[in-house]
Amino acid sequence: MVDFRLGDEYEELRTSVREFAREQIAPVIAEHYENEKFPYEIIRQMGKMGLFGLPFDEKFGGMGGDYFALCIALEELARVDSSVAVTLEAGVSLGAMPIYRYGTDEQKRQWLPRLTSGEALAAFGLTEPGTGSDAAGTTTRAVLDETTGEWVINGTKAFITNSGTDITCLVTVMAVTGTNPDGSKELSTIIVPAGTPGFTVAPQYSKVGWCASDTHELSFDDVRVPAANLLGERGRGLAQFLRILDEGRIAIAALAVGLAQGCVDESVSYAKQRTAFGRPIGDNQAVSFLIADMDLRAHTARLGYYDAASRMLAGEDFKRYAAIAKLNASNAAMENSRYATQVHGGYGFMNESPVGRFYRDAKILEIGEGTSEVQRMLIARGLGL
């Protein structure tokens, strides 16, 4: 028998995060969003709930759960606000997960307890101003100084989430560390602690959406870190991070589903309360059909990320299914935010309206952690094309 219902532990997690989002995030997030302020108190509460430790082993301060538990939490957070949700997503899947997957025992002991508790955040420096989706086009370089036993890093990274908060403790940087026998770039990942001399965090970007999350350009000018800060195997940096991205696409799909479902929630509530021509606007078939289509998109997108996550946890090849989930869910988020704004009319165009924020937040889901075009390319490759 196929059963898509969640087990008791997952349901308990969903309920607790849903209540937290509605009671603690919803009343205050608009002010943070409008003033582009990072919500430190909310993040601190999420840390106490164990959300940053969901998929990590208890010996590193984690909750001993799995990646699907993280996805459930992300969906529920994003039903209310995506800035908070992406802070968790990036903090776990891009910040802590590379260290958990590829770090030495010493690196794990040094960094993971603070990251899994939410006491600190980590970031991953991949994207550069001139590369975008072309990760192999990385130009940031790291040269090993044999005399001092240090990596010397030079370059610039762009659009890096969680990289400049007061609690950011490190950025893992993708850099060219040599040349492979076939002439291609040797790419490796290196841990750079916050505050390292020569490591500069530019002012916060002014963004269309995710306005309460933290995003910066980073520059590295002769930044020196110990050789032991190499993360994983030298020359395997890109391969390691592509695996991280595959997992992250499932998480972003869950976040997108949350936004899509949030649009349904807000639209149903508004359609019941708002009256026009003497009756609730939800009585009009034109409005009710819009909302029905929104619910269909959210539901089918949810099944997509459930499927991708189940394949990942079963140890199966999940790359194509993660791309399908991410592409479908980001499309659903974009469409639902547009229709939710239409249902709300002029009120939906106001920044104080949740759907106004949803509309602004949705677009980045078609870009971040692999554009929609990249997802289609991955799906086609998975089909042997």
Side-chain angles (χ1 to χ4, degrees), residues 10 80 97 115 144-145 163 179 186 189 227 230 253 259 272 287 297 307 337 344 358 370 372:
Y10 290 133
V80 170
M97 191 60 73
L115 297 177
L144 186 59
D145 185 335
S163 58
T179 304
E186 177 190 83
T189 50
L230 178 73
L259 190 154
K272 289 179 177 178
V287 173
R297 292 188 198 95
D307 176 62
S337 67
H344 282 70
F358 292 162
S372 294

Side-chain angles (χ1 to χ4, degrees), residues 11-146:
E11 279 293 357
E12 289 173 8
L13 173 64
R14 181 188 291 281
T15 299
S16 65
V17 178
R18 182 179 298 175
E19 291 175 354
F20 171 74
R22 289 176 176 174
E23 296 173 6
Q24 303 298 324
I25 300 176
V28 301
I29 197 60
E31 191 267 338
H32 285 83
Y33 194 99
E34 204 161 321
N35 293 289
E36 300 183 357
K37 295 195 311 183
F38 189 75
Y40 286 102
E41 181 56 36
I42 293 173
I43 301 306
R44 190 175 300 112
Q45 290 175 279
M46 288 163 57
K48 291 179 180 178
M49 291 174 65
L51 299 188
F52 286 92
L54 279 172
F56 301 112
D57 194 291
E58 293 177 7
K59 69 180 179 180
F60 299 116
M63 299 295 289
D66 57 30
Y67 209 85
F68 186 52
L70 170 67
C71 291
I72 290 171
L74 290 171
E75 180 185 342
E76 291 303 320
L77 291 172
R79 286 177 74 164
V80 170
D81 178 69
S82 291
S83 294
V84 170
V86 79
T87 300
L88 175 63
E89 190 277 333
V92 173
S93 70
L94 300 179
M97 191 60 73
I99 296 174
Y100 185 68
R101 293 267 189 242
Y102 306 113
T104 63
D105 289 342
E106 177 56 34
Q107 288 169 342
K108 292 175 183 179
R109 284 194 297 268
Q110 180 179 1
W111 300 111
L112 284 180
R114 295 180 63 203
L115 297 177
T116 58
S117 69
E119 176 188 337
L121 293 173
F124 199 103
L126 175 66
T127 304
E128 298 186 355
T131 60
S133 297
D134 182 16
T138 296
T139 60
T140 296
R141 303 193 70 85
V143 177
L144 186 59
D145 185 335
E146 301 287 356

Side-chain angles (χ1 to χ4, degrees), residues 65-305:
D66 57 30
Y67 209 85
F68 186 52
L70 170 67
C71 291
I72 290 171
L74 290 171
E75 180 185 342
E76 291 303 320
L77 291 172
R79 286 177 74 164
V80 170
D81 178 69
S82 291
S83 294
V84 170
V86 79
T87 300
L88 175 63
E89 190 277 333
V92 173
S93 70
L94 300 179
M97 191 60 73
I99 296 174
Y100 185 68
R101 293 267 189 242
Y102 306 113
T104 63
D105 289 342
E106 177 56 34
Q107 288 169 342
K108 292 175 183 179
R109 284 194 297 268
Q110 180 179 1
W111 300 111
L112 284 180
R114 295 180 63 203
L115 297 177
T116 58
S117 69
E119 176 188 337
L121 293 173
F124 199 103
L126 175 66
T127 304
E128 298 186 355
T131 60
S133 297
D134 182 16
T138 296
T139 60
T140 296
R141 303 193 70 85
V143 177
L144 186 59
D145 185 335
E146 301 287 356
T147 304
T148 62
E150 296 173 315
W151 290 105
V152 183
I153 307 170
N154 286 280
T156 303
K157 299 293 180 179
F159 315 128
I160 309 304
T161 305
N162 291 347
S163 58
T165 73
D166 293 344
I167 57 175
T168 299
C169 66
L170 68 90
V171 176
T172 301
V173 180
M174 180 80 73
V176 181
T177 53
T179 304
N180 292 316
D182 63 1
S184 62
K185 296 175 180 177
E186 177 190 83
L187 295 171
S188 307
T189 50
I190 301 170
I191 297 171
V192 178
T196 301
F199 172 25
T200 303
V201 179
Q204 164 82 351
Y205 287 109
S206 177
K207 297 173 292 188
V208 171
W210 287 358
C211 296
S213 72
D214 179 81
T215 320
H216 299 265
E217 181 175 281
L218 311 176
S219 63
F220 303 87
D221 184 11
D222 285 340
V223 171
R224 289 179 171 268
V225 297
N229 281 28
L230 178 73
L231 181 62
E233 184 180 344
R234 178 170 177 169
R236 294 286 297 167
L238 182 58
Q240 292 166 2
F241 192 67
L242 289 178
R243 163 71 190 210
I244 293 294
L245 276 182
D246 286 337
E247 296 177 357
R249 287 177 181 126
I250 303 175
I252 288 293
L255 191 158
V257 167
L259 190 154
Q261 185 63 53
C263 289
V264 176
D265 299 341
E266 294 293 334
S267 296
V268 168
S269 176
Y270 188 76
K272 289 179 177 178
Q273 298 172 12
R274 174 74 163 91
T275 59
F277 306 104
R279 60 179 182 171
I281 63 172
D283 287 355
N284 297 312
Q285 200 172 70
V287 173
S288 64
F289 278 16
L290 279 181
I291 299 174
D293 284 343
M294 290 162 58
D295 191 45
L296 178 141
R297 292 188 198 95
H299 179 70
T300 55
R302 181 178 296 108
L303 295 179
Y305 95 71

